[in-house]
PDB file of all heavy atoms in Angstrom:
ATOM      1  N   ARG S 315      25.207  -6.918  12.813  1.00  0.00           N
ATOM      2  CA  ARG S 315      25.431  -6.375  14.139  1.00  0.00           C
ATOM      3  C   ARG S 315      25.102  -4.884  14.156  1.00  0.00           C
ATOM      4  O   ARG S 315      25.432  -4.160  13.204  1.00  0.00           O
ATOM      5  CB  ARG S 315      26.876  -6.566  14.602  1.00  0.00           C
ATOM      6  CG  ARG S 315      27.285  -8.013  14.820  1.00  0.00           C
ATOM      7  CD  ARG S 315      28.569  -8.106  15.642  1.00  0.00           C
ATOM      8  NE  ARG S 315      29.593  -7.168  15.200  1.00  0.00           N
ATOM      9  CZ  ARG S 315      30.431  -7.375  14.202  1.00  0.00           C
ATOM     10  NH1 ARG S 315      30.344  -8.507  13.521  1.00  0.00           N
ATOM     11  NH2 ARG S 315      31.340  -6.473  13.895  1.00  0.00           N
ATOM     12  N   SER S 316      24.454  -4.415  15.199  1.00  0.00           N
ATOM     13  CA  SER S 316      24.178  -2.988  15.323  1.00  0.00           C
ATOM     14  C   SER S 316      25.480  -2.204  15.192  1.00  0.00           C
ATOM     15  O   SER S 316      26.478  -2.534  15.835  1.00  0.00           O
ATOM     16  CB  SER S 316      23.537  -2.688  16.683  1.00  0.00           C
ATOM     17  OG  SER S 316      22.270  -3.275  16.791  1.00  0.00           O
ATOM     18  N   GLY S 317      25.458  -1.184  14.332  1.00  0.00           N
ATOM     19  CA  GLY S 317      26.639  -0.360  14.133  1.00  0.00           C
ATOM     20  C   GLY S 317      27.615  -0.893  13.098  1.00  0.00           C
ATOM     21  O   GLY S 317      28.622  -0.234  12.792  1.00  0.00           O
ATOM     22  N   GLN S 318      27.338  -2.046  12.547  1.00  0.00           N
ATOM     23  CA  GLN S 318      28.253  -2.659  11.585  1.00  0.00           C
ATOM     24  C   GLN S 318      28.147  -1.998  10.210  1.00  0.00           C
ATOM     25  O   GLN S 318      27.066  -1.597   9.785  1.00  0.00           O
ATOM     26  CB  GLN S 318      27.922  -4.154  11.463  1.00  0.00           C
ATOM     27  CG  GLN S 318      28.896  -4.978  10.660  1.00  0.00           C
ATOM     28  CD  GLN S 318      28.574  -6.467  10.778  1.00  0.00           C
ATOM     29  OE1 GLN S 318      27.421  -6.869  10.864  1.00  0.00           O
ATOM     30  NE2 GLN S 318      29.620  -7.280  10.793  1.00  0.00           N
ATOM     31  N   LYS S 319      29.269  -1.864   9.514  1.00  0.00           N
ATOM     32  CA  LYS S 319      29.257  -1.390   8.136  1.00  0.00           C
ATOM     33  C   LYS S 319      28.811  -2.542   7.254  1.00  0.00           C
ATOM     34  O   LYS S 319      29.351  -3.646   7.328  1.00  0.00           O
ATOM     35  CB  LYS S 319      30.640  -0.903   7.709  1.00  0.00           C
ATOM     36  CG  LYS S 319      30.667  -0.332   6.293  1.00  0.00           C
ATOM     37  CD  LYS S 319      32.040   0.241   5.953  1.00  0.00           C
ATOM     38  CE  LYS S 319      32.032   0.852   4.557  1.00  0.00           C
ATOM     39  NZ  LYS S 319      33.337   1.463   4.213  1.00  0.00           N
ATOM     40  N   VAL S 320      27.829  -2.286   6.386  1.00  0.00           N
ATOM     41  CA  VAL S 320      27.239  -3.369   5.618  1.00  0.00           C
ATOM     42  C   VAL S 320      26.853  -2.879   4.226  1.00  0.00           C
ATOM     43  O   VAL S 320      26.468  -1.715   4.049  1.00  0.00           O
ATOM     44  CB  VAL S 320      26.016  -3.959   6.375  1.00  0.00           C
ATOM     45  CG1 VAL S 320      24.934  -2.916   6.540  1.00  0.00           C
ATOM     46  CG2 VAL S 320      25.466  -5.190   5.686  1.00  0.00           C
ATOM     47  N   ASP S 321      26.987  -3.761   3.243  1.00  0.00           N
ATOM     48  CA  ASP S 321      26.563  -3.486   1.869  1.00  0.00           C
ATOM     49  C   ASP S 321      25.290  -4.265   1.557  1.00  0.00           C
ATOM     50  O   ASP S 321      25.181  -5.454   1.894  1.00  0.00           O
ATOM     51  CB  ASP S 321      27.636  -3.907   0.854  1.00  0.00           C
ATOM     52  CG  ASP S 321      28.849  -3.003   0.862  1.00  0.00           C
ATOM     53  OD1 ASP S 321      28.739  -1.887   1.379  1.00  0.00           O
ATOM     54  OD2 ASP S 321      29.905  -3.427   0.360  1.00  0.00           O
ATOM     55  N   PHE S 322      24.337  -3.607   0.904  1.00  0.00           N
ATOM     56  CA  PHE S 322      23.182  -4.285   0.322  1.00  0.00           C
ATOM     57  C   PHE S 322      23.406  -4.308  -1.184  1.00  0.00           C
ATOM     58  O   PHE S 322      23.369  -3.261  -1.840  1.00  0.00           O
ATOM     59  CB  PHE S 322      21.881  -3.567   0.694  1.00  0.00           C
ATOM     60  CG  PHE S 322      21.516  -3.725   2.136  1.00  0.00           C
ATOM     61  CD1 PHE S 322      22.052  -2.875   3.097  1.00  0.00           C
ATOM     62  CD2 PHE S 322      20.664  -4.739   2.548  1.00  0.00           C
ATOM     63  CE1 PHE S 322      21.735  -3.016   4.435  1.00  0.00           C
ATOM     64  CE2 PHE S 322      20.343  -4.897   3.883  1.00  0.00           C
ATOM     65  CZ  PHE S 322      20.880  -4.035   4.833  1.00  0.00           C
ATOM     66  N   VAL S 323      23.683  -5.493  -1.714  1.00  0.00           N
ATOM     67  CA  VAL S 323      24.035  -5.661  -3.116  1.00  0.00           C
ATOM     68  C   VAL S 323      22.783  -6.065  -3.892  1.00  0.00           C
ATOM     69  O   VAL S 323      22.222  -7.144  -3.658  1.00  0.00           O
ATOM     70  CB  VAL S 323      25.142  -6.712  -3.301  1.00  0.00           C
ATOM     71  CG1 VAL S 323      25.508  -6.850  -4.781  1.00  0.00           C
ATOM     72  CG2 VAL S 323      26.372  -6.338  -2.473  1.00  0.00           C
ATOM     73  N   ILE S 324      22.327  -5.190  -4.779  1.00  0.00           N
ATOM     74  CA  ILE S 324      21.107  -5.425  -5.565  1.00  0.00           C
ATOM     75  C   ILE S 324      21.505  -5.822  -6.976  1.00  0.00           C
ATOM     76  O   ILE S 324      22.101  -5.020  -7.704  1.00  0.00           O
ATOM     77  CB  ILE S 324      20.225  -4.164  -5.593  1.00  0.00           C
ATOM     78  CG1 ILE S 324      19.861  -3.741  -4.171  1.00  0.00           C
ATOM     79  CG2 ILE S 324      18.964  -4.404  -6.425  1.00  0.00           C
ATOM     80  CD1 ILE S 324      19.147  -2.395  -4.101  1.00  0.00           C
ATOM     81  N   GLU S 325      21.203  -7.049  -7.352  1.00  0.00           N
ATOM     82  CA  GLU S 325      21.479  -7.530  -8.706  1.00  0.00           C
ATOM     83  C   GLU S 325      20.212  -7.397  -9.548  1.00  0.00           C
ATOM     84  O   GLU S 325      19.102  -7.639  -9.064  1.00  0.00           O
ATOM     85  CB  GLU S 325      21.951  -8.982  -8.684  1.00  0.00           C
ATOM     86  CG  GLU S 325      23.262  -9.184  -7.923  1.00  0.00           C
ATOM     87  CD  GLU S 325      23.753 -10.613  -7.998  1.00  0.00           C
ATOM     88  OE1 GLU S 325      23.087 -11.448  -8.674  1.00  0.00           O
ATOM     89  OE2 GLU S 325      24.784 -10.913  -7.379  1.00  0.00           O
ATOM     90  N   PHE S 326      20.375  -7.011 -10.809  1.00  0.00           N
ATOM     91  CA  PHE S 326      19.220  -6.799 -11.675  1.00  0.00           C
ATOM     92  C   PHE S 326      19.515  -7.274 -13.093  1.00  0.00           C
ATOM     93  O   PHE S 326      20.674  -7.501 -13.473  1.00  0.00           O
ATOM     94  CB  PHE S 326      18.841  -5.311 -11.692  1.00  0.00           C
ATOM     95  CG  PHE S 326      19.905  -4.411 -12.256  1.00  0.00           C
ATOM     96  CD1 PHE S 326      19.968  -4.147 -13.621  1.00  0.00           C
ATOM     97  CD2 PHE S 326      20.855  -3.839 -11.428  1.00  0.00           C
ATOM     98  CE1 PHE S 326      20.959  -3.334 -14.146  1.00  0.00           C
ATOM     99  CE2 PHE S 326      21.856  -3.025 -11.943  1.00  0.00           C
ATOM    100  CZ  PHE S 326      21.900  -2.770 -13.303  1.00  0.00           C
ATOM    101  N   ILE S 327      18.447  -7.406 -13.871  1.00  0.00           N
ATOM    102  CA  ILE S 327      18.539  -7.749 -15.286  1.00  0.00           C
ATOM    103  C   ILE S 327      17.756  -6.702 -16.070  1.00  0.00           C
ATOM    104  O   ILE S 327      16.580  -6.457 -15.781  1.00  0.00           O
ATOM    105  CB  ILE S 327      17.978  -9.155 -15.584  1.00  0.00           C
ATOM    106  CG1 ILE S 327      18.709 -10.223 -14.771  1.00  0.00           C
ATOM    107  CG2 ILE S 327      18.071  -9.462 -17.073  1.00  0.00           C
ATOM    108  CD1 ILE S 327      18.099 -11.607 -14.901  1.00  0.00           C
ATOM    109  N   ALA S 328      18.399  -6.067 -17.038  1.00  0.00           N
ATOM    110  CA  ALA S 328      17.762  -5.057 -17.880  1.00  0.00           C
ATOM    111  C   ALA S 328      17.521  -5.626 -19.269  1.00  0.00           C
ATOM    112  O   ALA S 328      18.410  -6.248 -19.857  1.00  0.00           O
ATOM    113  CB  ALA S 328      18.629  -3.803 -17.959  1.00  0.00           C
ATOM    114  N   GLU S 329      16.314  -5.408 -19.786  1.00  0.00           N
ATOM    115  CA  GLU S 329      15.970  -5.922 -21.109  1.00  0.00           C
ATOM    116  C   GLU S 329      16.536  -5.057 -22.234  1.00  0.00           C
ATOM    117  O   GLU S 329      16.601  -5.484 -23.381  1.00  0.00           O
ATOM    118  CB  GLU S 329      14.450  -6.017 -21.252  1.00  0.00           C
ATOM    119  CG  GLU S 329      13.812  -7.023 -20.290  1.00  0.00           C
ATOM    120  CD  GLU S 329      12.299  -7.065 -20.440  1.00  0.00           C
ATOM    121  OE1 GLU S 329      11.762  -6.265 -21.254  1.00  0.00           O
ATOM    122  OE2 GLU S 329      11.657  -7.870 -19.738  1.00  0.00           O
ATOM    123  N   LYS S 330      16.941  -3.826 -21.907  1.00  0.00           N
ATOM    124  CA  LYS S 330      17.503  -2.907 -22.892  1.00  0.00           C
ATOM    125  C   LYS S 330      18.297  -1.833 -22.156  1.00  0.00           C
ATOM    126  O   LYS S 330      18.414  -1.875 -20.916  1.00  0.00           O
ATOM    127  CB  LYS S 330      16.388  -2.265 -23.721  1.00  0.00           C
ATOM    128  CG  LYS S 330      15.413  -1.426 -22.888  1.00  0.00           C
ATOM    129  CD  LYS S 330      14.337  -0.785 -23.759  1.00  0.00           C
ATOM    130  CE  LYS S 330      13.417   0.091 -22.913  1.00  0.00           C
ATOM    131  NZ  LYS S 330      12.381   0.767 -23.727  1.00  0.00           N
ATOM    132  N   ASP S 331      18.855  -0.895 -22.880  1.00  0.00           N
ATOM    133  CA  ASP S 331      19.551   0.227 -22.251  1.00  0.00           C
ATOM    134  C   ASP S 331      18.531   1.201 -21.654  1.00  0.00           C
ATOM    135  O   ASP S 331      17.471   1.459 -22.250  1.00  0.00           O
ATOM    136  CB  ASP S 331      20.418   0.971 -23.271  1.00  0.00           C
ATOM    137  CG  ASP S 331      21.599   0.141 -23.744  1.00  0.00           C
ATOM    138  OD1 ASP S 331      21.858  -0.919 -23.133  1.00  0.00           O
ATOM    139  OD2 ASP S 331      22.255   0.548 -24.722  1.00  0.00           O
TER     140      ASP S 331
END
Side-chain angles (χ1 to χ4, degrees):
R315 294 196 315 277
S316 294
Q318 188 172 35
K319 183 175 182 178
V320 63
D321 288 342
F322 289 85
V323 181
I324 302 172
E325 298 184 2
F326 63 88
I327 302 173
E329 296 179 357
K330 62 179 182 178
D331 292 349

